[in-house]
Structures are given as structure tokens and as C-alpha cells.
Amino acid sequence: MTDPGGLERIDTSVAHPARRYNYWLGGKDNFAADRESGDAIAKIYPAIRTTALENRAFLRRAVEYLAKEAGIRQFLDVGTGIPTADNTHEVAQSIAPESRIVYVDNDPIVLTHARALLSSTPQGATAYIDADLRDPGTILADESARRTLNFDEPIALMLIAIVHFLFDEHHPRETVRRLVDALPSGSYVVMTHGTSDFVDPVLRAHGEAEIRAGRLRVDAVPRSKSELAVFFEGLDIVEPGIVPIVEWRNPVPEEDRPPLADAAMYGVVARVP
């Protein structure tokens, strides 16, 4: 018997980043392993839920910028996550109904929810493909992606809270560059990435000790601002540059924003020359 939704591939005993993120955002599409992993990380870094919410707010602002100011009408969103409020296509199509979006994820639950919940405007289009960021060739060759997006016209590559799941052995810079190199001039790359640059040294040391002791399993690698900058060599970084997500074109007054340590991620938008 075939499994068109891929649900037989779900291992509920192992935490998945998309389902754990859903848990942090207050969603219900997660399992015990996801909640246990989420709680373990929250014990070390209590502000993780604030980080998740601020990351989502950055996504909304970045898509608004691309649709309103940069005139982008095509989006390739890799690492979609389980649908929640203000998804890429909802923000883009609220501004430009003709916008076209391809979502990419490797979790069958994400794809099942996406196909059921993420409907396009009549003028635009959405597609959902089962692929992994670590295999950019599959993403770029997918027939559905090629039908939905015109790779001769500018595309925004959305890498929201996904690249930090690539360890050095996954060759993250080369992986991202392969996707970027497939984009035409005038395209954009949007990325958020976890960092320990703002984390209290004592808290960081405690977390590292928990990892060494085997009490905390971490499937992501934080990177510094200089390490993140390597991904954008040769691209034109949009102002205000590589900055904490709470500082990127945020209309919320500074005094009303969470501290940087409570939203420990960088955000950046860059144009392909």
C-alpha cells in the first residue's frame, strides 16, 4: 500500500525541529519526544519561546519588505515548518495576490498540514515539495517547483531558522551557495540563524556542560556574526545588515522589545547582484 503523505516515515520517538518549534509556538502538532526536547532546551535557555515568536515576526517583516519595496513575487521557502499565522504566502499574497510560493520540508506532518491548510489566492500559486536542505539538487530539480516558479525571474530564497541545523560536515556554505547560484539577478536571500553571541557566558557554559554530560541533545549549531557573513559573500546585504532579529526594520520601540539574549538569532536579507 502506498503512503502518499509519507506518514509512515514519521518516527514519533525522535524529536523533529519543525514539531518542536510548533510546541514552542503553542501548537498541538507535536509528540512527546518533541515536547521533551523542547522542555530540555527551554530549561537551559528559558527564552526559547520568545526567540520563536520573534523569529516569526522577522519573517513577516522580511516578506513585507520583499513584496512591497523589492517587488518580489516568487518565494522558495525551505524549511517551512508546521503552518501557523503569517505564513510566507499569506503575507506575500496579502500585498501582491499574484505571488507564487514553493514550500519545502522533509517532515511528512509538515507536508500534510501544508497541503491541507495553505491555500493560495486565485491569482497566485503555492506548491509543497518533500525535500531536504541538505540535498539542494532535489529541490532545484523538482517538477512542481519548476512549474510554480520561473527561475528566469527574481525569487526570494527563504532560509528561516533552518541553516543552523546544518553542521560543518553538511558543508552548509556550499549547500546554501548551490541554491543561491540557481537564482537570477535581482533575487534575494533571507536567513535567520541561531547564535550564542548574546547569551550570558554563565548560561552558555552551563548548556555546554549539559551537552558534554549527555543530558541535553542539541541538533543545531549556533554561529557568530562573522561566521554568518560568509554565507553572503558576493551578495548585496540590505540595510541594516546582519543584525539581531529584533532590530531588523522593527517598528516596535526599542524599549518594548525583548532583550537580545531573549531572541538570540541573527537576521539578514541580501540581494543577488
Side-chain angles (χ1 to χ4, degrees):
M1 182 175 179
T2 61
D3 179 30
L7 295 180
E8 66 182 14
R9 293 192 285 112
I10 298 174
D11 184 351
T12 62
S13 68
V14 177
H16 189 283
R19 301 194 302 262
R20 186 174 58 210
Y21 188 72
N22 172 265
Y23 172 57
W24 286 331
L25 289 174
K28 300 184 182 302
D29 299 301
N30 47 74
F31 299 103
D34 307 307
R35 295 188 288 274
E36 290 170 6
S37 174
D39 289 342
I41 293 174
K43 185 176 180 181
I44 300 299
Y45 180 51
I48 188 63
R49 290 179 177 85
T50 299
T51 299
L53 291 168
E54 290 297 328
N55 181 66
R56 199 70 185 180
F58 170 92
L59 166 66
R60 182 177 62 252
R61 297 195 303 273
V63 173
E64 287 176 348
Y65 164 79
L66 292 169
K68 288 181 179 179
E69 299 185 39
I72 295 296
R73 298 294 180 263
Q74 302 189 108
F75 297 81
L76 178 59
D77 189 330
V78 183
T80 303
I82 295 171
T84 182
D86 293 334
N87 301 289
T88 296
H89 80 284
E90 292 174 324
V91 179
Q93 291 182 344
S94 70
I95 297 165
E98 70 275 20
S99 296
R100 308 174 72 82
I101 296 88
V102 170
Y103 289 109
V104 182
D105 209 288
N106 66 347
D107 182 1
I109 285 185
V110 170
L111 295 170
T112 298
H113 280 274
R115 291 179 176 127
L117 300 176
L118 301 183
S119 57
S120 173
T121 59
Q123 304 96 316
T126 56
Y128 324 98
I129 66 176
D130 182 359
D132 193 307
L133 174 59
R134 292 169 293 186
D135 186 9
T138 296
I139 296 173
L140 295 172
D142 187 88
E143 292 183 6
S144 181
R146 289 286 172 175
R147 284 196 306 268
T148 306
L149 303 178
N150 179 357
F151 278 77
D152 292 326
E153 298 292 334
I155 297 170
L157 172 63
M158 310 294 294
L159 299 170
I160 302 298
I162 182 67
V163 176
H164 49 229
F165 293 114
L166 298 182
F167 287 82
D168 290 345
E169 57 264 32
H170 299 136
H171 308 290
R173 184 183 183 281
E174 293 79 5
T175 297
V176 171
R177 180 56 58 171
R178 187 168 176 190
L179 291 172
V180 174
D181 287 346
L183 304 177
S185 175
S187 295
Y188 284 81
V189 181
V190 181
M191 186 187 295
T192 62
H193 196 296
T195 184
S196 59
D197 284 359
F198 319 127
V199 177
D200 180 271
V202 174
L203 186 62
R204 186 188 317 148
H206 176 56
E208 291 170 351
E210 290 292 291
I211 293 170
R212 288 193 299 270
R215 290 187 290 270
L216 178 64
R217 179 182 178 273
V218 176
D219 51 12
V221 54
R223 292 186 171 93
S224 66
K225 183 176 182 177
S226 60
E227 289 174 320
L228 192 56
V230 173
F231 290 93
F232 297 92
E233 291 176 350
L235 305 183
D236 300 325
I237 297 178
V238 174
E239 291 295 331
I242 302 173
V243 297
I245 53 175
V246 297
E247 294 182 355
W248 199 89
R249 301 187 177 225
N250 193 350
V252 176
E254 184 174 355
E255 61 270 20
D256 295 330
R257 303 172 191 168
L260 297 185
D262 287 357
M265 297 186 79
Y266 283 113
V268 57
V269 176
R271 184 179 183 275
V272 178

